[in-house]
Amino acid sequence: MAKSEWFNKLPKDQKNMLNKRQVEINRGLVLPLNNTSSNISEDHLVFKNNKTYIVVQSKMWNSLSYQLKVEMLLEYAKKWDSWSCSELPEKAPIHLKQFANTFPYKAGSNCLSATLFAATQHEWMIHEWVHPQTFLEGIKKAGYLIHEGDVEDTDIITWINAEGVIQHASYCIGDKLFFNKNGQTFYNPWKIVEWTKLKEEWKKFNTRIYRKPYNNQI
């Protein structure tokens, strides 16, 4: 790993070359330039496709004010998620209220862990990364079975590819609303989303519904 001073000691043309390469392959922390970050040194800027990007480097980042860091990270977070969501209904399960429409404090949690938590109420699960097979074993242990028909309250819906591998999962809380998480970074919030948005976003995959018979208990 290169020391933070290494980049600053490079000739300007080499800095430009490395910055452009980072933008091209989207590696490291690359942020769009906005009005609030206009005082960033040109050594960290790249112009591409009529847009200007900031290539963040350790020493430069440490020199920024706290407020500017917050503003830049908010802009970056918007690249991962639209931040659009629905309000959690009053009748929604109580254990979801702490997490609905919030961001994780660490990376790792994915759609499968969020869905498994919603279905089982085991809070530790929501902070973990869950493998598809572990997910299937978890919902089976909780009493969920494959269901043919429309999705209803407390159902789990999964989206699977042609090989039958789960690509996404979400938990129905009723009124065509779902407790959902896209991605596994802390830029991907747990949020309440509408069925129409989920269906459109994952339309290239087939759906499979799991339901827990009413006479089963967790």
Side-chain angles (χ1 to χ4, degrees):
M1 179 180 294
K3 294 182 179 180
S4 60
E5 290 290 344
W6 173 78
F7 179 85
N8 296 321
K9 294 178 180 179
L10 293 175
K12 188 176 183 61
D13 60 337
Q14 291 188 28
K15 290 180 181 178
N16 292 337
M17 178 190 68
L18 290 173
N19 286 338
K20 289 179 180 178
R21 184 58 177 158
Q22 276 195 247
V23 173
E24 289 172 359
I25 64 177
N26 195 27
R27 296 286 297 191
L29 188 56
V30 178
L31 308 174
L33 181 70
N34 56 49
N35 293 332
T36 60
S37 52
S38 57
N39 60 342
I40 300 296
S41 168
E42 291 185 359
D43 285 348
H44 302 281
L45 301 181
V46 173
F47 184 74
K48 180 182 179 183
N49 298 330
N50 297 319
K51 294 182 180 180
T52 304
Y53 298 91
I54 306 167
V55 180
V56 178
Q57 183 267 344
S58 174
K59 189 174 182 61
M60 178 270 279
W61 180 258
N62 291 334
S63 70
L64 301 178
S65 69
Y66 175 81
Q67 184 59 37
L68 186 52
K69 289 177 181 178
V70 169
E71 291 169 354
M72 291 174 68
L73 285 176
L74 286 175
E75 285 295 318
Y76 183 68
K78 291 176 183 177
K79 294 173 60 177
W80 294 83
D81 192 276
S82 67
W83 294 8
S84 61
C85 61
S86 299
E87 292 292 328
L88 182 71
E90 287 292 330
K91 65 178 182 179
I94 295 177
H95 67 289
L96 299 181
K97 292 185 177 181
Q98 177 184 350
F99 299 98
N101 301 332
T102 67
F103 287 91
Y105 65 85
K106 65 177 182 178
S109 169
N110 60 0
C111 65
L112 302 183
S113 64
T115 303
L116 199 54
F117 158 70
T120 65
Q121 303 183 31
H122 298 320
E123 185 173 327
W124 65 269
M125 291 180 177
I126 198 170
H127 302 292
E128 303 298 319
W129 183 90
V130 172
H131 186 275
Q133 190 57 44
T134 303
F135 172 77
L136 289 173
E137 292 173 0
I139 62 174
K140 180 180 179 180
K141 185 177 180 180
Y144 280 83
L145 305 172
I146 293 177
H147 170 74
E148 300 292 338
D150 295 331
V151 64
E152 297 181 358
D153 300 15
T154 74
D155 283 354
I156 290 171
I157 185 166
T158 62
W159 285 262
I160 57 177
N161 63 15
E163 289 73 40
V165 179
I166 296 176
Q167 303 300 299
H168 188 65
S170 196
Y171 179 83
C172 182
I173 63 174
D175 298 328
K176 296 185 178 180
L177 295 173
F178 290 75
F179 182 72
N180 186 73
K181 188 178 191 294
N182 288 341
Q184 60 190 39
T185 76
F186 38 61
Y187 298 112
N188 301 117
W190 298 295
K191 63 182 186 177
I192 306 303
V193 298
E194 298 175 354
W195 166 239
T196 53
K197 292 182 179 179
L198 272 178
K199 186 167 60 173
E200 175 63 23
E201 187 170 2
W202 299 94
K203 62 184 179 182
K204 69 177 181 179
F205 299 106
N206 295 318
T207 58
R208 179 174 292 163
I209 298 171
Y210 292 85
R211 178 169 296 175
K212 185 176 180 180
Y214 296 115
N215 60 348
N216 278 7
Q217 299 293 325
I218 294 178

